[in-house]
Amino acid sequence: MPRPPDPGALERLKSAVGAGGWLEAPADIEPFLRDFRGLYRGASPLVLLPGGVDEVARVLAICNHEDIAVVPHGGNTGYCGAATPDESGTQIVLSLRRLNRIRRLDAANNSLIIEAGSTLAAAQAAARAAQRLFPLSLGSEGSAQIGGNLSTNAGGTAVLRYGMMRDLVLGLEVVLADGRVMSRLKSLRKDNAGYDVKSLFVGAEGTLGVITAASLKLFPLPTDSATALVGVKSPRHALRLFEHLRAAVGDLITSFELMPRRAVELTVRHIAGVANPLADAAPWYVLVEISSAADQGLPAQLASQLAAAGEAGAIDEAIIATSLAQAAAMWKLRESVPEAQRHHGASLKHDVSVPISAVPELIERGAELVRRLVPEGETLAYGHMGDGNLHFNVSRTGPDSPAFQARRESLQEAIFDLVGELGGSFSAEHGIGRLKAAELARRADPVELSVMRALKRALDPKGIMNPGKVLA
Ligand code: 2HG
Ligand code: ZN
């Protein structure tokens, strides 16, 4: 069991990272104590900012020896509180932000070795500079860090085509809880040398070790693409459109995002520079993008497929972006929905996934649950329909209130039960962190949970790595 660090241990930790590698003044450490959503406010005696993997290794060796709990910290954009220390004031925060070098880009091998504290945007830019694509794409990519993307197994808007972060990893460098460094940074598509150990650290949210660098997969840079905003009558119509496009253009679909009218209205109202390019207010909207690394006349293809979908009654209206700026404006409309929801008022959030065929049923039955259990709320279910991941959120106009928050548990229980019934997951792309740790303990398959606990004991026998997260 971790215990409070004594002054001597704190001094040893500071000298392990050297001058400029630690913070302890209350004003300096404040930003590390709050999570992005403001759900948690922790305390910590020390924030460490190691400058290299050797320093991370020294820090963990000391913490393991002294039984000091460590909370790895990336860009602090997570939704489940995984990067925030608890309230005890005994946990050390380990920020990876100084590990931000690009170690190697091999264009011929389509791979990039990059350190964990680099932002996702920096990884994308490095790939682009070499005429390659690193496809993970999220609203917070300017501040989210690669280590956090890996540790939460981040998803985003291109999962349908390229997969989640786990699918984009070729190798990892990880510092284990006892300070040993696992250097498994090979950039191979085929490597069957034993168990897939690196995969354990993806989605582990810093509970098994600290990821310090990764070898990531790159792809050809798309040179042809088409983006459209489509108005549809219902999620069932959106599903018909999806099936139509899948049959017509197959794997060229990169993104297929669903939004209700209310989400579009709130975004136009609250976010400067956002407009709805469609003439009529549709009940639901789909943002679809198709792309290819070979010139295939995609705008014309998308136009003719949308026309066919219109004739078949799947869609009501559509506009295809005629410039990169117009496509970017459509993306801004979609990516600003969470911020618009924040401006609008309090919200109850559920990051869930179901098979795409069950998305309409989830929305219909979920909205019914909201009407029954949260009469003062309104459903705002939007997200990555193409991969079955919805942010089934409930908004309340105006400030938060104890009455609204008091509905949280019963609604969450009902939504997660519904998701389970539909063969889905109560945690799709935002992770478990502290927020959903109790749910995982209740909802995971008991045998799978016992395997997770056995892995935790094996890799972190003293329980110093991010205690209270994932496995409560
Ligand atoms: C998105 O898809 C993000 O925009 C955030 O995952 C979702 O705020 C949310 O609920
Ligand atoms: Zn999302």
Side-chain angles (χ1 to χ4, degrees):
M1 277 292 282
R3 53 191 169 86
D6 62 48
L10 291 177
E11 287 312 312
R12 279 196 291 288
L13 286 169
K14 288 179 192 170
S15 49
V17 291
W22 52 270
L23 302 167
E24 63 178 356
D28 294 338
I29 68 171
E30 179 61 29
F32 298 87
L33 306 181
R34 259 176 215 285
D35 72 303
F36 173 76
R37 289 177 63 194
L39 300 175
Y40 303 108
R41 190 187 186 292
S44 173
L46 186 63
V47 174
L48 296 171
L49 305 113
V53 61
D54 49 336
E55 291 184 3
V56 177
R58 259 182 261 149
V59 165
L60 290 195
I62 295 170
C63 289
N64 197 52
H65 186 257
E66 304 281 340
D67 297 309
I68 300 171
V70 184
V71 181
H73 190 94
N76 204 23
T77 59
Y79 266 41
C80 299
T84 308
D86 71 10
E87 295 78 12
S88 69
T90 63
Q91 302 185 331
I92 302 294
V93 175
L94 184 71
S95 164
L96 276 299
R97 76 173 181 213
R98 287 176 65 218
L99 274 84
N100 60 1
R101 284 167 288 256
I102 288 171
R103 294 204 193 155
R104 176 154 201 243
L105 191 149
D106 183 344
N109 192 51
N110 282 297
S111 58
L112 166 68
I113 299 182
I114 189 165
E115 292 184 344
S118 313
T119 63
L120 172 53
Q124 294 166 339
R128 211 175 304 116
Q131 289 298 301
R132 297 291 183 276
L133 174 75
F134 181 62
L136 197 82
S137 180
L138 343 150
S140 57
E141 61 204 20
S143 23
Q145 294 174 8
I146 290 298
N149 294 151
L150 287 159
S151 296
T152 57
N153 188 23
T157 52
V159 171
L160 174 61
R161 172 82 162 269
Y162 297 102
M164 295 182 75
M165 196 57 171
R166 183 185 304 285
D167 304 300
L168 302 173
V169 185
L170 296 170
L172 288 184
E173 176 186 84
V174 181
V175 181
L176 302 184
D178 60 9
R180 282 179 299 156
V181 180
M182 184 184 91
S183 292
R184 208 306 207 159
L185 273 177
K186 288 182 183 162
S187 300
L188 304 172
R189 260 78 186 173
K190 286 188 172 174
D191 182 4
N192 274 346
Y195 299 151
D196 187 6
V197 175
K198 70 173 187 321
S199 197
L200 290 175
F201 298 92
V202 180
E205 301 182 48
T207 61
L208 300 179
V210 177
I211 297 171
T212 48
S215 172
L216 303 175
K217 283 184 199 168
L218 303 181
F219 294 81
L221 192 62
T223 51
D224 191 5
S225 70
T227 309
L229 189 67
V230 185
V232 296
K233 285 193 180 60
S234 70
R236 289 192 187 274
H237 288 81
L239 183 59
R240 276 173 62 190
L241 172 63
F242 181 76
E243 287 179 282
H244 176 94
L245 290 176
R246 265 300 213 204
V249 300
D251 283 344
L252 295 183
I253 312 178
T254 317
S255 300
F256 192 92
E257 299 283 313
L258 180 72
M259 292 175 283
R261 174 195 291 170
R262 188 74 172 131
V264 172
E265 281 170 3
L266 291 180
T267 307
V268 170
R269 184 190 309 165
H270 292 293
I271 310 294
V274 169
N276 178 359
L278 286 178
D280 293 323
W284 290 85
Y285 293 83
V286 172
L287 174 56
V288 60
E289 187 161 291
I290 63 176
S291 65
S292 166
D295 208 345
Q296 305 196 38
L298 291 187
Q301 272 198 54
L302 186 58
S304 74
Q305 291 309 332
L306 290 174
E311 274 159 35
I315 73 170
D316 291 344
E317 225 194 323
I319 178 162
I320 298 185
T322 53
S323 65
L324 286 178
Q326 214 182 355
M330 289 177 182
W331 273 110
K332 182 157 187 199
L333 174 68
R334 160 62 186 92
E335 286 185 335
S336 304
V337 175
E339 192 188 335
Q341 217 194 335
R342 274 198 297 283
H343 287 294
H344 180 58
S347 62
L348 308 175
K349 287 180 182 282
H350 310 88
D351 164 44
V352 296
S353 61
V354 293
I356 183 172
S357 47
V359 165
E361 185 175 351
L362 170 64
I363 293 177
E364 288 157 12
R365 291 176 59 190
E368 186 50 44
L369 290 172
V370 173
R371 278 192 287 276
R372 194 150 52 77
L373 297 171
V374 192
E376 64 278 73
E378 61 177 323
T379 302
L380 264 192
Y382 63 90
H384 321 291
M385 178 164 180
D387 55 55
N389 173 199
L390 277 191
H391 301 303
F392 195 95
N393 297 344
V394 178
S395 265
R396 178 185 187 278
T397 311
D400 205 355
S401 76
F404 184 60
Q405 288 303 329
R407 317 274 195 195
R408 177 184 295 277
E409 248 172 64
S410 53
L411 178 68
Q412 178 170 295
E413 177 83 6
I415 298 282
F416 288 174
D417 284 351
L418 170 61
V419 164
E421 193 192 315
L422 296 174
S425 171
F426 70 96
S427 173
E429 64 165 3
H430 294 162
I432 298 290
R434 180 166 164 185
L435 187 67
K436 291 184 172 178
E439 282 301 317
L440 182 73
R442 260 169 13 94
R443 291 183 184 272
D445 171 79
V447 177
E448 189 181 18
L449 198 60
S450 73
V451 174
M452 289 189 208
R453 294 206 163 111
L455 289 168
K456 172 75 177 170
R457 277 193 303 276
L459 289 170
D460 179 23
K462 293 182 143 191
I464 63 159
M465 292 308 313
N466 216 0
K469 315 292 167 49
V470 185
L471 294 176

